[in-house]
Amino acid sequence: MITKRIIPCLDVRDGRVVKGVNFEGVRDVSDPVALAGYYSESGADELVFYDITASFEGRKLFTDILTRTASQIFIPLTVGGGINTLQDFDRVLSCGADKVSVNSGAIRDPSLVGEAAKRFGDQCVVISADVKRVDGEYHVFAKGGREDTGMEGIEWIRRCVDNGAGEVVLNSIDTDGVKDGFDLEMLQAVCDVVNVPVIASGGAGCIAHFTELFEAIPKVDAGLAASIFHFGEVSIRDLKEELRRNGINVRL
């Protein structure tokens, strides 16, 4: 049986981990290097590091913080933010990342996913999609959820996977930071059209939401969360023990 993964997410702005609601109203949380080390020791299966304003500000990702973060952990690290070229992939991987997450860069240049998969391997390329309901449709948003591309979200994700993306992070803007549970409807729609690992992001508020996620949609490979871990509302150890008690296979 495939082990389900629990993944804390570090949203980094100006060198600090921050967290908001519906991608807005962010507040300071912690130092990313210290927090990454804590999660690595606390049983997280992987770690996601997003430089959340790099694309919006049109700059490259903070490589100094990334290098120090990578040196502190012993679990897989996925990194995103300001990834627009193959050189950006190479630079981030050279800093210690295991996988590279691309969002706005792929929207700007759809060939980037395929080119990166050919050069670095599809297991290294993660398509991170910020999706929100607009007039009853799923729309892809760019630049940290600030810009509605007008593109249909499920078809966009399917196309990226067809082009070589080896993993999908689905960020539901509708449920981000709300803590009412993952966006099961949106996640099911994605799982129906792709055959690569899908990571659920946005909406976790308690342990029960992870149990609900994995029981409702067995094809989902991982649950990603930020604030409930950052603010000590849920410990990764307690979460995994409860999942195991509910018959969900996790690494303890």
Side-chain angles (χ1 to χ4, degrees), residues 32-49:
V33 180
L35 197 56
Y38 167 76
Y39 286 135
S40 182
E41 296 171 356
S42 299
D45 296 294
E46 297 187 17
L47 195 66
V48 169
F49 178 112

Side-chain angles (χ1 to χ4, degrees), residues 22 133 172-183 201-204:
N22 301 129
R133 291 168 179 81
S172 171
I173 298 176
D174 294 320
T175 60
D176 175 72
V178 178
K179 298 185 180 180
D180 283 339
F182 290 99
D183 197 327
S201 172

Side-chain angles (χ1 to χ4, degrees), residues 84-139:
N84 295 297
T85 65
L86 292 179
Q87 289 72 30
D88 291 331
F89 270 82
D90 189 54
R91 181 169 50 84
V92 168
L93 292 169
S94 297
C95 289
D98 299 283
K99 294 181 279 189
V100 181
S101 176
V102 60
N103 185 340
S104 296
I107 293 169
R108 194 175 299 109
D109 177 11
S111 68
L112 179 60
V113 168
E115 292 172 356
K118 289 175 184 174
R119 178 173 297 189
F120 304 107
D122 56 5
Q123 81 288 341
C124 175
V125 181
V126 179
I127 184 66
S128 176
D130 296 336
V131 182
K132 182 178 182 179
R133 291 168 179 81
V134 178
D135 297 327
E137 297 181 347
Y138 296 127
H139 281 204

Side-chain angles (χ1 to χ4, degrees), residues 213-250:
L213 168 69
F214 294 128
E215 289 182 342
I217 314 177
K219 284 185 68 176
V220 168
D221 288 79
L224 181 149
S227 57
I228 62 167
F229 296 142
H230 297 343
F231 299 118
E233 297 166 35
V234 171
S235 81
I236 292 173
R237 180 75 186 185
D238 289 347
L239 168 57
K240 287 189 168 186
E241 288 178 347
E242 181 63 19
L243 290 172
R244 179 70 67 86
R245 281 192 288 270
N246 281 275
I248 297 164
N249 193 31
V250 293

